[in-house]
Amino acid sequence: MKKQFIIVSAFLLSMTVFGQKDEIKTAEKAIKSNDFNTALTAINQAEGLISNADDKTKAKFYYLKGLALYQNEGAQMDVDKTAAAFNDLFNFEKSINSFKYTDEIKALSGKMVNGIATKASSQYSAAIESKEPADFSKAAKLFHQVYKLSPVDTVFLDNAALIYYFGKEYKTSRDLYQQLLDMNYTGIAEEFVATNKADGKDVTYPDKKAMDLQVKLGMAENPRTEVKESRRELIFKNLAQNSSDLNEMDKALEYISMGRQEFPKSYSLLIDEANIYYKLGDNAKFKERLELAIEMNPTEPTLYYNVGVMNMEQKKTDEAIKYFEKAIELKPDYGDAYNNIGAAIIEKAGPIIEEMNKSLNDFAKYDKLQKQQFAIYEKSVPYYEKAFELNKSSISVVQTLMGLYENLGMDEKLEAIKTVYAELKGE
């Protein structure tokens, strides 16, 4: 019985081998006749049997599968499936150290890469013009296809990740950035640049040999090698931004934390972290991160301004004014900072107004308190006037000045500002 079973098994194995070869012959014949549907049917039938084939048969199977999907680059070609088939062939022939079909398929792959890359660039230019998310998504898909065809060209995956973000496909963008992170992609690369003698513009060449040839022919000058900076920090930023736009704030903070561990001196990541806390409504951590940012970048006026705002919210009026003053010192035309100093000064009148409301029947005390109130208002006026000087279209500043002029009996200024108000309201 045992011998009979072995004989039957061997017979079945032989039938399998013949089945493979028959299907492969059918596919090859159909491809030569440009009958790609028949070729794909035969390939699909052979695929389940190919694991038992010898290396020579397997290589031919992967080769024919690629050609059947390629369809002479016809309109029905599925780029993603074709790219996968091509890469299966490359990987298999590399694994057996035999490259019978690799050069031919690489030529086809290169042709596809060039064609799709050109389409991708054109589509991206169209998207910039239209500003439509759907157009950016189309461009991103094309860049992603180029990467699938040529996985060594990781810059195309980087491009796809970024452009998917412009297309508001945040999940896809994040997935691609995560893929870049997982492969330890940095984006650091050498670029070969020379100046075209004809128009004086810089040209980037694919390799040093091509650049040197142009220089030797006298068509270019000033050849040089430039090193592109690492994009890894930006990848962390974009991972966090995508997560934030997906409203996955814990994930966003996780990516920022990973980025700051790798780039502890990154001002940009610190600001992103501050903004996430602000979006979460955690003003204490927002302020804390801004104060750390000031230590890193002590000449940035918006940092002082925002810390001033946080101090205002915490009722630390004098502290807020100090930060607004520092912002103005660094940026003398910072209209919002002038406005907020005026607001902070008026805030000091709050306790006095409360006491006035308790002293409505004590006229002497009320009058005394009102003088104190108006004295505070007088101190705020120059700041609001400066804010108005810097931004004459701010209705809120104009309204505040109207109230101050009326309370302080500054009638001439009141009439002038009323005219401005009427103009702004279109009356």
Side-chain angles (χ1 to χ4, degrees):
M1 275 304 282
K2 191 172 183 181
K3 288 183 179 179
Q4 184 181 1
F5 178 74
I6 292 172
I7 291 170
V8 170
S9 297
F11 175 73
L12 291 174
L13 182 60
S14 298
M15 290 291 290
T16 299
V17 170
F18 284 125
Q20 292 164 355
K21 290 184 177 179
D22 285 346
E23 299 298 348
I24 288 173
K25 284 179 181 178
T26 299
E28 186 173 23
K29 184 177 178 181
I31 289 168
K32 288 177 180 178
S33 302
N34 292 326
D35 184 358
F36 299 111
N37 288 332
T38 299
L40 285 171
T41 298
I43 288 293
N44 289 336
Q45 290 173 351
E47 191 145 22
L49 309 173
I50 200 65
S51 59
N52 296 319
D54 57 71
D55 288 347
K56 181 179 177 181
T57 303
K58 284 181 180 178
K60 188 164 189 177
F61 167 80
Y62 289 126
Y63 165 69
L64 293 174
K65 182 179 179 181
L67 290 180
L69 287 165
Y70 178 66
Q71 299 187 20
N72 289 334
E73 209 170 352
Q76 301 303 314
M77 177 185 62
D78 185 316
V79 174
D80 291 345
K81 289 182 179 179
T82 305
F86 283 178
N87 286 317
D88 284 344
L89 172 70
F90 299 149
N91 292 333
F92 180 73
E93 290 207 324
K94 184 178 180 181
S95 72
I96 63 173
N97 199 30
S98 174
F99 304 95
K100 181 176 181 180
Y101 304 109
T102 290
D103 287 345
E104 180 184 343
I105 297 301
K106 275 194 172 178
L108 297 181
S109 179
K111 182 182 176 185
M112 286 178 68
V113 165
N114 290 334
I116 297 171
T118 300
K119 288 180 185 176
S121 297
S122 178
Q123 179 61 44
Y124 180 58
S125 297
I128 291 173
E129 287 292 322
S130 72
K131 298 181 175 60
E132 289 293 330
D135 288 337
F136 281 112
S137 292
K138 288 177 185 176
K141 183 178 180 180
L142 290 167
F143 278 115
H144 196 192
Q145 287 177 342
V146 175
Y147 168 72
K148 288 177 181 178
L149 280 163
S150 182
V152 295
D153 294 324
T154 43
V155 67
F156 288 107
L157 183 61
D158 192 351
N159 288 344
L162 177 62
I163 300 169
Y164 268 125
Y165 177 79
F166 295 152
K168 301 188 184 300
E169 293 196 39
Y170 305 125
K171 178 69 167 60
T172 304
S173 176
R174 186 175 69 180
D175 288 346
L176 298 192
Y177 276 125
Q178 182 64 57
Q179 191 176 341
L180 288 164
L181 197 66
D182 292 344
M183 64 174 68
N184 292 317
Y185 170 78
T186 64
I188 298 173
E190 287 186 335
E191 285 191 339
F192 302 99
V193 183
T195 304
N196 188 307
K197 285 187 175 181
D199 57 16
K201 293 181 179 179
D202 286 342
V203 177
T204 300
Y205 297 89
D207 50 50
K208 188 175 186 300
K209 184 178 179 181
M211 177 182 71
D212 290 344
L213 178 61
Q214 291 286 297
V215 173
K216 187 176 181 180
L217 293 172
M219 299 174 70
E221 59 187 356
N222 188 26
R224 57 204 183 274
T225 302
E226 297 179 355
V227 179
K228 293 174 68 176
E229 292 183 359
S230 171
R231 286 178 52 79
R232 193 164 172 84
E233 180 182 343
L234 188 62
I235 289 173
F236 285 114
K237 282 174 60 66
N238 291 347
L239 281 163
Q241 185 62 60
N242 277 303
S243 298
S244 177
D245 287 328
L246 288 165
N247 206 32
E248 297 178 11
M249 300 313 221
D250 288 344
K251 193 73 176 173
L253 287 171
E254 182 183 328
Y255 282 123
I256 290 292
S257 177
M258 291 167 61
R260 290 194 64 204
Q261 285 179 16
E262 194 166 321
F263 301 96
K265 295 182 180 180
S266 172
Y267 170 77
S268 180
L269 287 171
L270 180 58
I271 291 298
D272 287 349
E273 186 177 30
N275 286 329
I276 291 170
Y277 280 123
Y278 181 76
K279 194 171 180 179
L280 285 168
D282 191 336
N283 289 342
K285 287 186 177 178
F286 174 60
K287 179 184 173 186
E288 179 185 296
R289 296 308 188 272
L290 290 181
E291 288 170 340
L292 287 173
I294 286 174
E295 292 178 15
M296 283 189 184
N297 188 6
T299 60
E300 174 51 57
T302 57
L303 294 176
Y304 294 94
Y305 174 82
N306 284 317
V307 174
V309 170
M310 291 299 100
N311 278 309
M312 282 279 285
E313 290 189 0
Q314 295 170 2
K315 306 297 182 185
K316 298 177 181 178
T317 308
D318 289 333
E319 196 71 13
I321 290 173
K322 288 179 184 177
Y323 278 97
F324 292 138
E325 287 176 339
K326 183 64 178 178
I328 290 169
E329 178 186 325
L330 294 167
K331 188 176 185 293
D333 62 348
Y334 209 148
D336 288 342
Y338 283 104
N339 178 86
N340 282 9
I341 291 177
I345 291 171
I346 288 177
E347 193 77 18
K348 292 184 176 184
I352 296 172
I353 293 171
E354 286 181 16
E355 192 64 28
M356 287 169 65
N357 289 332
K358 296 175 184 177
S359 308
L360 296 175
N361 295 324
D362 187 341
F363 299 120
K365 184 177 181 181
Y366 185 93
D367 290 344
K368 182 180 178 181
L369 289 169
Q370 189 174 60
K371 285 181 180 179
Q372 294 175 13
Q373 176 196 8
F374 288 169
I376 291 171
Y377 285 179
E378 286 176 359
K379 290 180 182 178
S380 73
V381 168
Y383 292 99
Y384 279 111
E385 288 180 337
K386 185 65 176 178
F388 172 67
E389 177 188 323
L390 293 168
N391 183 8
K392 294 188 179 338
S393 62
S394 173
I395 288 183
S396 64
V397 171
V398 169
Q399 288 174 323
T400 303
L401 280 172
M402 285 170 61
L404 288 170
Y405 291 154
E406 186 172 357
N407 275 288
L408 298 172
M410 303 171 74
D411 297 335
E412 188 175 331
K413 287 188 174 184
L414 176 60
E415 291 306 312
I417 204 69
K418 279 183 177 179
T419 301
V420 173
Y421 180 72
E423 290 173 354
L424 289 174
K425 295 287 285 184
E427 296 175 358

